[in-house]
């Protein structure tokens, strides 16, 4: 949501109503409250999936920095550096946990194919590169897993993966773990690496390890990666056969360490550090102030990155100055080109929101996703966002001396929501108010709704066709396609995930236009059409009490004060949800609950003598009477019905549903597009906030 647009002019009476609402709220902006917390540094959870517990989605992260990275441990007494990553180089980090060892091969291509076979599964593969017995080998693993039991379950999943099994060819797979033997201590990392190389030449799996002893780095060589004590003893016995003079010592399970391997990326080998999650957190600090994370599309982050284990998985937390974090949030939520007062309103809302969360995720205050508020690091920073944060430094929103939860979202669709109609419970500082949101559709192109020769109905953008001046036999206009391989889509917008093209047409093709619609946007939108079967599957995957049988009808049965849906009925029966906003996810993530449902499979036809007949789905056969008096059965998927005064309606042979609505998001609190229009109409950030949050005070931390 970063495009700069100008809103339409608003009626004077409408703006006067907003002004009156704004100035009627008490404007005590300088009063301070002891209850408002302060925060110098914020901790942002990266790779969070969802919910209120920290549940990450990656088993390892790849970090780099233009001027290099320092790796170590941060304590109350300072930072102990263990190792470093060269400028511009990459390094991988993971918890030293449980894995499934799949294959060791000298054939790079086989390793790559096995990695590809598992790449789309939950058992994420990776390949270590090593030199053993004088030749380069590639070791393929899956993981990391939080326990031996999880790894065993993964081993069983992989065993029934046909693609993986074809490459493994019956090779035994093994669950490995974080238990090791110490094969010697050394004065430097280089010496430890040299000894590890020598042991691998004998056929042992050995790795250099960086430890911390008495606040300083020390070095060792470890062998083995056992999942339990029995496996660990087997490693010792095998080592004794291969290298009888090798003295092995137990490894202290509480020691902070980094075990270093080489991971093959497909083009090169990079260091992979596995750390002891039960002993410490790894602190990775960029030398130039920013670190890039490959798994975050290479985004750069200020501050430092803390790596640990939480809830059994790798946890990645970005710690940075709070106000600097807000600069990125403002840029990510709005955009550099938005009006200054809108940016300031977002800055105050974002600051209040983050502070109100406390430590929501136990080891972090906030996540980086829209589950909380969007944070994309350095790439969303800019001078205008920086200025907005600085101009509002420390300002937060309170009610009766306490921080509010300043909900915000993209677009209210002209009228913000009432909390009861959205979440089923009141929020004292949020009421339904008018919101000037139409700027979101400004300059959006129109799309022709067209009928294709095969009977399909779809949308084509107006700049890709030309109105020919011709009309068909029913008097509908005909358009001519002006480009080659033009996509026709089921709804007037481009979304290749769910809205891929239904057809392609080429230059010169003539199509019947059934009307025009604005390209779907944050203010007004169309979704669908959905078949009854696919909509039923989606509904039953979300709601607690599934709809039984076929989906025959779906209708809005209740609405709230702002027109948002508070109850849907399927086949005449209410669809129960915990809160009305859940209807959005039940309907393929509908942009908002301010929508209408168009059922295209049911329609009424008039017969002789004033009789009527209701046709639904594919039941029965419908005949059309031609100009020559002859009748013919209608067999196509769509039926175009002409009404009075030239109106056109598309009916379908089978039951289908379309959603048409306004607004984007839950609709509670500040509409960001509304803030844009209010700012462009001359409102400052304080009046914008007081319009959307009722009875609030803006104060300093």
């Amino acid at each position: 949501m970063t495009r700069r647009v100008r809103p339409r002019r608003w009626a004077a009476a409408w703006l006067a109503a907003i002004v009156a609402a704004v100035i009627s709220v008490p404007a005590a902006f300088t009063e301070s409250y002891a209850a408002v917390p302060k925060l110098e540094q914020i901790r942002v959870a990266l790779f969070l999936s969802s919910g209120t517990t920290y549940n990450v989605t990656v088993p390892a992260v790849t970090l780099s920095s233009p001027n290099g990275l320092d790796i170590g441990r941060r304590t109350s007494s300072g930072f102990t550096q263990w190792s470093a990553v060269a400028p511009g180089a990459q390094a991988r980090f993971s918890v030293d946990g449980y894995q499934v060892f799949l294959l060791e091969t000298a054939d790079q291509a086989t390793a790559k194919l096995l990695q590809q076979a598992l790449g789309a599964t939950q058992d994420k593969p990776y390949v270590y590169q090593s030199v053993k017995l004088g030749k380069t080998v590639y070791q393929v693993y899956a993981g990391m897993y939080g326990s031996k039991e999880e790894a065993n379950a993964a081993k069983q999943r992989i065993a029934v993966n046909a693609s993986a099994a074809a490459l493994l060819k019956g090779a035994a797979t093994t669950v490995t773990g974080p238990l090791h033997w110490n094969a010697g201590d050394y004065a430097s990392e280089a010496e430890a690496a040299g000894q590890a190389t020598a042991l691998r030449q004998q056929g042992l799996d050995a790795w250099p390890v960086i430890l911390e002893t008495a606040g300083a780095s020390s070095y060792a060589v470890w062998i083995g990666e056992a999942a339990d004590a029995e496996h660990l003893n087997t490693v010792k016995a095998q080592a004794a056969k291969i290298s009888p003079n090798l003295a092995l010592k137990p490894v202290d399970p509480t020691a902070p360490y980094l075990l270093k391997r080489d991971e093959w990326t497909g083009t090169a080998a990079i260091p992979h550090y596995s750390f002891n999650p039960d002993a410490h957190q790894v602190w990775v600090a960029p030398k130039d102030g920013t670190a890039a994370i490959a798994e975050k599309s290479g985004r750069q982050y200020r501050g430092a990155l803390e790596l640990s284990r939480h809830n059994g998985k790798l946890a990645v937390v970005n710690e940075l100055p709070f106000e600097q974090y807000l600069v990125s949030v403002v840029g990510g939520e709005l955009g550099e080109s938005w009006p200054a007062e809108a940016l300031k309103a977002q800055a105050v809302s974002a600051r209040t929101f983050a502070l109100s969360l406390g430590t929501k995720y136990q080891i972090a205050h906030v996540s980086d996703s829209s589950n909380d508020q969007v944070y994309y690091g350095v790439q969303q920073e800019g001078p205008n966002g920086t200025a907005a944060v600085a101009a509002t430094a420390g300002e937060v929103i309170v009610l009766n001396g306490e921080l509010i939860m300043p909900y915000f979202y993209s677009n209210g669709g002209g009228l913000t929501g009432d909390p009861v109609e959205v979440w089923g419970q009141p929020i004292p500082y949020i009421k339904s108010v008018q919101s000037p949101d139409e700027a979101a559709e400004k300059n959006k192109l129109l799309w022709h709704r067209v009928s294709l020769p095969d009977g399909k109905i779809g949308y084509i953008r107006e700049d890709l066709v030309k109105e020919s001046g011709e009309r068909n036999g029913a008097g509908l206009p005909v358009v001519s396609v002006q480009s080659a391989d033009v996509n026709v889509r089921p709804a007037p917008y481009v979304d290749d995930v769910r809205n891929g093209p239904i057809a392609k047409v080429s230059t010169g093709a003539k199509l019947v236009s059934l009307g025009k619609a604005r390209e779907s946007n944050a203010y007004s939108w169309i979704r669908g059409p959905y078949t009854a079967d696919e909509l039923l599957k989606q509904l039953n995957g979300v709601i607690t009490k599934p709809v039984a049988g076929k989906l025959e009808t779906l209708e809005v049965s209740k609405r709230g004060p702002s027109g948002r849906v508070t109850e849907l009925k399927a086949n005449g029966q209410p669809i129960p949800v915990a809160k009305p906003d859940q209807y959005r996810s039940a309907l393929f993530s509908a942009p908002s609950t301010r929508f209408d449902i168009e059922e295209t499979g049911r329609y009424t036809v008039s017969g002789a003598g004033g009789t009527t007949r209701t046709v639904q789905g594919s039941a029965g056969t419908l005949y059309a009477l031609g100009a020559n008096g002859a009748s013919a059965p209608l067999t196509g998927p769509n039926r175009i019905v002409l009404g009075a005064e030239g109106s056109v309606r598309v009916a379908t042979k089978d039951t289908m549903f379309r959603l048409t609505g306004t607004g984007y998001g839950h609709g509670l609190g500040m509409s960001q597009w509304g803030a844009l229009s209010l700012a462009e109409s001359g409102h400052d950030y304080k009046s914008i906030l007081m319009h959307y949050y009722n009875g609030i005070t803006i104060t300093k931390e």
Side-chain angles (χ1 to χ4, degrees), residues 179 354 615:
L179 303 179
V615 180

Side-chain angles (χ1 to χ4, degrees), residues 164-454:
L167 294 164
L168 290 171
K169 298 178 180 179
T173 58
T174 307
V175 171
T176 65
L179 303 179
H180 314 280
W181 288 107
N182 186 332
D185 299 309
Y186 297 89
S188 69
E189 183 177 348
E191 288 183 42
Q195 179 61 14
T197 298
L199 291 176
R200 288 197 297 270
Q201 293 290 23
Q202 296 180 44
L204 291 172
D205 285 315
W207 312 280
V209 177
I210 305 165
L211 301 117
E212 183 180 329
T213 305
S217 297
S218 59
Y219 309 94
V221 172
W222 289 0
I223 69 168
E225 46 184 355
D228 51 41
E230 181 181 357
H231 187 188
L232 190 63
N233 288 331
T234 300
V235 169
K236 185 176 184 179
Q238 291 172 340
K241 292 180 180 179
I242 295 172
S243 184
N245 297 323
L246 187 65
L248 299 179
K249 298 184 296 183
V251 168
D252 179 3
T254 66
Y257 66 77
L258 288 175
L259 187 153
K260 185 178 180 182
R261 307 186 193 214
D262 288 330
E263 182 174 349
W264 180 62
T265 65
T267 55
I270 63 173
H272 184 126
Y273 295 97
S274 299
F275 62 90
N276 183 356
D278 298 321
H280 65 288
Q281 298 82 36
V282 174
W283 190 254
V284 182
K287 295 180 183 294
D288 69 340
T290 63
I293 304 179
E295 291 76 14
K296 284 287 185 181
S297 302
R299 293 175 189 151
Q300 299 275 342
Y301 294 87
R302 296 191 187 277
L305 297 166
E306 181 188 270
L307 312 177
S308 66
R309 181 174 65 180
H310 195 69
N311 291 337
K313 295 185 178 181
L314 173 69
V316 185
V317 174
N318 179 204
E319 184 172 308
L320 75 160
F322 182 36
E323 295 290 305
Q324 189 67 55
Y325 156 80
L326 293 174
V327 173
S328 178
V329 171
V330 169
E333 288 285 350
L334 299 186
E336 270 291 289
S337 64
W338 282 50
E341 297 305 310
L343 296 176
K344 292 177 188 177
Q346 183 66 65
V348 177
S349 294
R351 183 182 295 110
T352 308
F353 184 89
L355 288 172
S356 67
L357 293 180
T359 51
K360 178 180 178 181
Y361 300 104
Q362 301 173 337
I363 61 172
H365 299 99
V366 65
S367 75
D368 65 334
S369 76
S370 57
N371 288 330
D372 296 320
Q373 51 191 12
V374 172
Y375 166 64
Y376 289 158
V378 174
Q379 76 178 55
Q380 293 296 342
E381 295 179 357
N384 294 337
T386 301
V389 172
T392 62
E395 291 186 0
V396 292
I397 310 169
V398 298
L399 179 68
N400 299 325
E402 300 289 338
L403 290 173
I404 71 166
M405 178 63 75
Y407 299 108
F408 53 84
Y409 54 95
S410 175
N411 193 294
L415 195 63
T416 71
D418 182 280
V420 174
E421 70 179 337
V422 176
W423 288 340
Q425 59 186 20
I427 300 173
Y429 50 88
I430 296 180
K431 308 295 181 184
S432 179
V433 298
Q434 289 182 312
S435 183
D437 295 310
E438 289 185 349
E441 69 174 8
K442 184 70 172 180
N443 298 324
K444 293 291 184 182
L445 291 173
L446 293 172
W447 290 54
H448 284 272
R449 195 178 190 190
V450 296
S451 175
L452 302 177
D454 63 0

